[in-house]
Amino acid sequence: FPGILSNPKLVLVQRSLNVVMNQNVTLSCCSASGSPPVRYTLFKHSQQVSSLNRSDSTPALFTLTISSASDVGPYKCKAEHNTSSDGKYSNSLHFTLIEPISKPVLSSPTSHTTKGQNVTLSCFAENGSLPITYMFFKDKQSISPPKMMHEREAAVIFLFVNSSADSGTYKCKANNSFPNSVKYSRSFDFTLAEERSHSQALIISLGLILLLLVIGFALAIPFFIIPSYKASE
């Protein structure tokens, strides 16, 4: 008489539960106790996927291909003796389908700035599985710690423009759990408007005053200088 089966254990062989499209995965189902032979049946959403008979205590291995979002599960397996109608069910497994990240976009409300101004940089990847980690760079040097975003929103940093050196080339990168998923944005450059010095402002003011004097003198000639000249003749 066959020994009583324990609830089987369903585990993933080797790889992570994070999967990519068209990836092959192998599930192992096995009862720790119970006399063989044992029939193992794999289910997805309560629908039978496959069955295997084992005449010894070795696990039943089920190989699947994750070809669509509906293939992520949940999965369960059932162990039963051929002589018994009562089967035992395993724990459930659910895969997470991860998508590659799209090229992030680096942007700012303005591309023109002056010394002493605060500016905002935002980096956003439209597609890709969450969470997404962003980093900002200036001339290939990191200027911020990694920012992990768990929502579909941009990562933002604030910069204080203190000198012309702050108007260099900026980039950002984004990556997620998809293998080799690092993507870089296009470069972004600020144009730094040089502030006029006090001496430049003084020269411009003096020039305007001189111009007004010349115009005033030219306007005064017909009314004052020419009549007085004629009266002296």
Side-chain angles (χ1 to χ4, degrees):
F1 184 78
I4 298 175
L5 285 170
S6 61
N7 288 83
K9 186 175 182 180
L10 184 64
V11 297
L12 177 67
V13 177
Q14 297 177 337
R15 295 188 179 183
S16 164
L17 288 172
N18 292 332
V19 296
V20 299
M21 197 71 73
N22 298 319
Q23 179 178 328
N24 292 326
V25 295
T26 301
L27 297 176
S28 169
C29 184
C30 187
S31 292
S33 63
S35 303
V38 179
R39 181 177 179 84
Y40 294 99
T41 304
L42 183 68
F43 294 88
K44 180 185 72 174
H45 295 296
S46 301
Q47 293 184 346
Q48 182 174 329
V49 176
S50 180
S51 291
L52 292 172
N53 292 316
R54 283 290 177 263
S55 58
D56 53 25
S57 59
T58 58
L61 300 178
F62 300 96
T63 299
L64 309 170
T65 300
I66 307 299
S67 57
S68 69
S70 64
D71 293 328
V72 297
Y75 291 91
K76 281 188 176 183
C77 74
K78 179 183 179 182
E80 58 188 333
H81 286 126
N82 292 332
T83 59
S84 174
S85 60
D86 295 328
K88 297 292 182 67
Y89 286 89
S90 73
N91 56 297
S92 64
L93 282 183
H94 192 285
F95 294 101
T96 299
L97 185 63
I98 56 175
E99 300 176 282
I101 207 165
S102 60
K103 188 181 184 72
V105 175
L106 182 63
S107 61
S108 175
T110 179
S111 60
H112 303 280
T113 184
T114 58
K115 292 180 182 178
Q117 182 178 348
N118 288 311
V119 293
T120 303
L121 277 178
S122 63
C123 185
F124 180 66
E126 185 174 357
N127 298 312
S129 302
L130 297 171
I132 297 174
T133 300
Y134 296 93
M135 284 191 68
F136 294 82
F137 298 86
K138 176 184 171 291
D139 298 328
K140 299 182 180 181
Q141 294 293 322
S142 173
I143 57 173
S144 73
K147 291 180 174 288
M148 181 177 288
M149 309 301 293
H150 294 271
E151 302 291 337
R152 187 73 61 185
E153 58 187 14
V156 177
I157 62 170
F158 302 95
L159 302 175
F160 179 72
V161 180
N162 191 42
S163 67
S164 58
D166 296 322
S167 62
T169 299
Y170 292 85
K171 280 190 176 184
C172 71
K173 77 173 182 179
N175 68 285
N176 61 4
S177 56
F178 192 90
N180 303 316
S181 67
V182 177
K183 296 287 181 65
Y184 286 86
S185 71
R186 292 183 178 179
S187 60
F188 185 93
D189 294 275
F190 286 109
T191 300
L192 185 64
E194 294 291 340
E195 297 179 340
R196 293 189 177 96
S197 64
H198 294 295
S199 59
Q200 288 177 319
L202 180 61
I203 292 173
I204 293 174
S205 299
L206 291 175
L208 290 173
I209 293 172
L210 180 61
L211 178 62
L212 290 174
L213 289 174
V214 171
I215 294 174
F217 181 77
L219 292 175
I221 291 177
F223 299 98
F224 298 101
I225 299 178
I226 293 178
S228 60
Y229 175 77
K230 290 182 178 181
S232 63
E233 289 180 349

